[in-house]
Amino acid sequence: YTYYKGFARLSDTQFIGYGQFVDAADEDKREGIHMYNLGDWNASRPTYVDSCSFDGGSYSAIGLWDTNGVPITNNVVYNTYQSGIVTTGQNNIIDHNLVSTVYWSGTAQPAYAAFDINYDGAIMSRDATSVVMT
């Protein structure tokens, strides 16, 4: 039950075959990049994801959960399930990202497709407050 809080500076990196398809609690999502409860963006230790590519994932490429003010810029997400980018929290910046070919989660589990009510978008900000998206 150890909890570490830090920061991440990711740029010009390619992620292939990331994530695990599972419907878990927010703190245990299996995304390619999972940032949970980082609090407010800090200029002395900035966190960002810039100019990265994500290909062939089994879940969302980038997930910001209860994290505020993080810039997600100039990324390409291709061929993944459920959503390309998910953001909650406040004032996160989703800028100049390309998201293509996101499969509905019912596609991964055809036997349960009739019961699947998850219709998330390519960039999901349903639970965010004042997200900036361009």
Side-chain angles (χ1 to χ4, degrees):
Y1 296 101
T2 303
Y3 177 74
Y4 297 100
K5 193 172 198 175
F7 62 99
R9 297 176 188 158
L10 300 167
S11 62
D12 302 309
T13 305
Q14 183 177 25
F15 297 86
I16 300 173
Y18 54 85
Q20 179 182 4
F21 187 80
V22 63
D23 193 16
D26 291 350
E27 65 272 8
D28 194 29
K29 297 286 187 191
R30 311 291 169 83
E31 294 136 334
I33 297 173
H34 178 77
M35 298 180 191
Y36 178 76
N37 197 21
L38 292 183
D40 295 331
W41 186 82
N42 184 339
S44 65
R45 294 175 36 183
T47 292
Y48 56 82
V49 181
D50 178 57
S51 302
C52 294
S53 66
F54 301 82
D55 184 8
S58 297
Y59 206 65
S60 303
I62 304 167
L64 302 175
W65 302 90
D66 298 326
T67 299
N68 306 324
V70 174
I72 306 297
T73 56
N74 305 310
N75 300 289
V76 176
V77 178
Y78 172 71
N79 196 23
T80 192
Y81 283 89
Q82 196 154 333
S83 294
I85 301 171
V86 178
T87 180
T88 67
Q90 300 176 358
N91 303 319
N92 290 307
I93 301 164
I94 312 296
D95 186 40
H96 290 96
N97 296 282
L98 173 64
V99 180
S100 174
T101 315
V102 177
Y103 296 102
W104 175 52
S105 55
T107 305
Q109 296 177 315
Y112 300 103
F115 307 104
D116 192 334
I117 58 169
N118 184 341
Y119 297 104
D120 288 346
I123 299 175
M124 195 63 202
S125 61
R126 175 186 59 222
D127 299 324
T129 304
S130 67
V131 64
V132 177
M133 198 179 307
T134 55

